[in-house]
Amino acid sequence: MDKLLNELRHADLQRQTRRHFLQSAGFGLGMLGLGSLLDACGPSREKPAAALPVATEKVAQFIPKAKRVIYIHMAGAPSQLELFDYKPELLKYHGKDCPAAFLEGKKFAFIQGVPKMLGPQGTFKQYGQSGAWLSDYLPYLQTVADEITFLKAMHTDQFNHAPAQLLLHTGSARLGRPSLGAWAVYGLGSENQNLPGFIVLASGGRQPDAGKSVYGSGFLPSVYQGVQCRTGGDPVLYVTDPHGMNRNLRKKTIDAINNLNRQTYEEVQDPEILTRISQYEMAFRMQMSVPEVMDVSKEPPFILDMYGVKPGEGSFAMNCLLARKLVENNVRFVQLFDWGWDGHGTSSADNVEGGLRHKCALSDKPVAALLQDLKMRGLLEETLVVWGAEFGRTPMQENRNGVVMPYMGRDHHLEAFTMWMAGGGTKRGYTHGQTDELGYYGVNDRVHVHDLQATILHLMGFDHEKFTYPFQGRNFRLTDTAGKVITNVVA
């Protein structure tokens, strides 16, 4: 408590200093005069509400097909040519020099000179009534092929990981924009007042290359940013009461902090203080709700076996099961990140042979189980599942500085890659888009990342062109100034 009082005294003294006053003026004293003139011409600006209504359900622009989203991002970008995009013609060119047309005027992350073509390493067959092509890398996904809409001709503008991840998740390759999950909760609110509307689960040992900005709130109030939970120990750091402090004392402490915050808000009118109040109150409620939701010990053994979950172990499989539990508890947006899907061929783990097979062995079963589990519980119809990465991989074998890598690997590729969606109002067993015979260009029904974003928002009940937020003098939207809804994938 002494520390709290000292911080309050320090903040009060800081507000009284001349330097702080001038810094707060922002554009200078002239703007203060202009502000007084503008205020004199009409009523004073409306004060923000006493609290941000993130914990209430809002109304979409039209009836949504998807009430919740589970977005699975494979950070690093797996090769679509080994998993989904069957190219038998590419096998005929294996080991031959890359055609000049694929290299002239193109930029790659690492390829230099003339690389060799690399044939597909997986064995492909058609599955389900839809006849979707899948490789032997994904034996479990084969069993749910008829639930999936494949987007075979995705393309992006960025060929490096961090900018491409930012573009995919925030609509801009630069920092500062809100993520898709933040937009979703800003627009629809949350159906559960005891859990954050936007929860993030990460596996693979590292954060995505773009860092926490891919699930940040950007210029939206920070109450809309993703809350990352852990799968080992406390789901959220410091969610349990400290030793010697019971729940009643914790509540009194939070009440005291929020009373001070409200007094400060009345003085400075900073809306972020309202966010701070809201988050303190949410954190207190999460002490009871989060540990219960994140506890899988009460799940029946057959569910644990279906996902491949080992209780007490943090893993991608555990995160898939937790994603089902979270949407079952009406969390609006669940973001899964799994790191380690790069495939350059620099090592035994970083290639499209053993490395990619190993990652698929860890993820294929739980992803298929997630779709089956959601469907079994009647949740898939209103839950949109999105799977993909920031870009694709080249049909050529990577050669850094003109030297062929020791293992079979592919460079980053922005011209063509595959993503898929399931549930949430999408067509079942449908393939949209096509690439050329070597898998280099999209030749039919190409889909830009802004188109994907527009479609996800459409499924959640929003017109992406009208779903905006005012910032720095203009209305911003997730899709910037581009994007169109892929109507063919909507059921």
Side-chain angles (χ1 to χ4, degrees):
M1 188 61 72
D2 289 340
K3 182 179 179 182
L4 210 65
L5 291 173
N6 287 334
E7 288 181 2
L8 179 63
R9 282 193 288 267
H10 179 269
D12 187 52
L13 289 171
Q14 187 183 46
R15 284 195 295 272
Q16 297 177 35
T17 65
R18 178 175 177 271
R19 177 176 296 176
H20 181 77
F21 168 74
L22 292 174
Q23 287 176 340
S24 299
F27 292 104
L29 297 176
M31 290 300 292
L32 296 179
L34 177 60
S36 65
L37 289 174
L38 293 176
D39 281 342
C41 295
S44 60
R45 62 182 179 179
E46 183 179 350
K47 293 182 179 180
L52 292 168
V54 68
T56 59
E57 187 174 4
K58 299 180 184 178
V59 180
Q61 293 171 337
F62 48 87
I63 298 176
K65 293 179 178 290
K67 290 185 176 180
R68 296 163 294 272
V69 175
I70 298 173
Y71 196 125
I72 305 170
H73 183 95
M74 305 324 223
S79 169
Q80 75 282 3
L81 295 167
E82 267 65 52
L83 304 182
F84 307 109
D85 204 10
Y86 179 45
K87 296 299 170 187
E89 196 69 18
L90 181 60
L91 191 60
K92 300 177 183 179
Y93 284 84
H94 180 78
K96 296 182 179 180
D97 286 349
C98 175
F102 286 2
L103 304 174
E104 293 173 354
K106 303 296 182 182
K107 292 182 179 180
F108 301 95
F110 295 101
I111 283 178
Q112 294 181 2
V114 180
K116 303 293 184 182
M117 301 301 289
L118 176 58
Q121 299 303 298
T123 300
F124 282 80
K125 291 182 180 179
Q126 289 179 284
Y127 294 92
Q129 294 182 352
S130 62
W133 287 98
L134 291 164
S135 82
D136 60 334
Y137 282 45
L138 302 170
Y140 290 94
L141 200 67
Q142 296 166 3
T143 65
V144 291
D146 284 340
E147 300 297 334
I148 296 173
T149 286
F150 292 96
L151 304 174
K152 289 288 189 73
M154 289 290 303
H155 65 106
T156 182
D157 304 332
Q158 302 294 324
F159 60 77
N160 285 321
H161 293 293
Q165 289 169 3
L166 284 171
L167 180 63
L168 181 64
H169 290 281
T170 74
S172 173
R174 297 191 177 114
L175 296 168
R177 299 288 185 89
S179 60
L180 175 58
W183 278 108
V185 181
Y186 163 66
L188 291 177
S190 175
E191 297 177 290
N192 190 323
Q193 297 190 16
N194 298 319
L195 290 169
F198 179 14
I199 290 181
V200 179
L201 301 168
S203 55
R206 279 181 54 180
Q207 292 281 340
D209 299 80
K212 297 182 178 181
S213 295
V214 288
Y215 53 89
S217 58
F219 47 69
L220 291 175
S222 54
V223 70
Y224 299 115
Q225 69 185 4
V227 175
Q228 184 174 355
C229 292
R230 306 187 306 162
T231 53
D234 283 347
V236 179
L237 290 175
Y238 313 118
V239 73
T240 56
D241 292 323
H243 180 70
M245 176 177 283
N246 59 36
R247 188 163 174 80
N248 290 334
L249 183 56
R250 186 74 171 262
K251 182 65 168 68
K252 290 179 180 179
T253 302
I254 290 174
D255 287 343
I257 293 170
N258 281 346
N259 284 335
L260 296 174
N261 282 331
R262 289 187 185 95
Q263 293 176 27
T264 305
Y265 172 73
E266 290 300 322
E267 294 177 18
V268 301
Q269 298 292 300
D270 182 355
E272 280 300 301
I273 297 175
L274 298 180
T275 292
R276 189 182 305 168
I277 293 171
S278 176
Q279 297 298 64
Y280 268 118
E281 293 172 348
M282 171 64 77
F284 181 73
R285 296 193 298 270
M286 284 170 60
Q287 284 188 284
M288 299 295 290
S289 57
V290 170
E292 181 179 350
V293 173
M294 305 292 278
D295 180 12
V296 302
S297 62
K298 297 179 182 178
E299 293 287 328
F302 85 92
I303 289 291
L304 300 179
D305 291 341
M306 186 167 74
Y307 282 88
V309 164
K310 297 179 181 178
E313 279 189 11
S315 64
F316 176 78
M318 176 68 80
N319 288 352
C320 286
L321 175 54
L322 292 175
R324 187 269 290 167
K325 288 173 65 65
L326 289 168
V327 297
E328 194 174 31
N329 282 271
N330 295 316
V331 172
R332 181 72 65 191
F333 201 100
V334 182
Q335 178 77 63
L336 271 60
F337 288 106
D338 189 54
W339 186 85
W341 289 85
D342 225 356
H344 292 285
T346 59
S347 69
S348 58
D350 176 27
N351 60 73
V352 297
E353 307 157 271
L356 182 56
R357 281 190 182 274
H358 176 68
K359 290 297 291 184
C360 288
L362 296 175
S363 67
D364 178 42
K365 183 176 182 179
V367 169
L370 175 61
L371 297 184
Q372 293 171 332
D373 200 5
L374 290 170
K375 185 175 182 179
M376 180 172 61
R377 296 169 191 272
L379 293 170
L380 186 58
E381 186 176 344
E382 293 183 338
T383 302
L384 176 65
V385 181
V386 183
W387 185 101
E390 58 266 33
F391 42 61
R393 316 302 298 200
T394 59
M396 305 87 79
Q397 183 171 1
E398 184 171 320
N399 61 336
R400 293 192 181 183
N401 300 317
V403 178
V404 177
M405 295 293 96
Y407 296 86
M408 291 186 182
R410 302 183 187 274
D411 203 353
H412 307 168
H413 193 51
L414 53 80
E415 297 287 353
F417 61 104
T418 300
M419 293 184 67
W420 60 256
M421 300 186 289
T426 58
K427 287 182 179 177
R428 298 175 63 249
Y430 175 69
T431 294
H432 184 81
Q434 182 183 359
T435 57
D436 62 39
E437 61 182 10
L438 299 182
Y440 191 96
Y441 290 106
V443 295
N444 184 36
D445 291 329
R446 299 179 78 217
V447 174
H448 188 268
V449 292
H450 286 318
D451 303 332
L452 175 68
Q453 293 158 354
T455 305
I456 293 173
L457 290 179
H458 174 82
L459 292 168
M460 298 193 77
F462 292 101
D463 181 337
H464 73 105
E465 294 182 345
K466 298 178 181 178
F467 185 33
T468 61
Y469 187 86
F471 178 66
Q472 293 185 341
R474 61 163 279 201
N475 287 332
F476 281 82
R477 68 188 210 215
L478 172 64
T479 52
D480 198 31
T481 59
K484 60 182 184 297
V485 176
I486 318 164
T487 55
N488 287 347
V489 308
V490 179

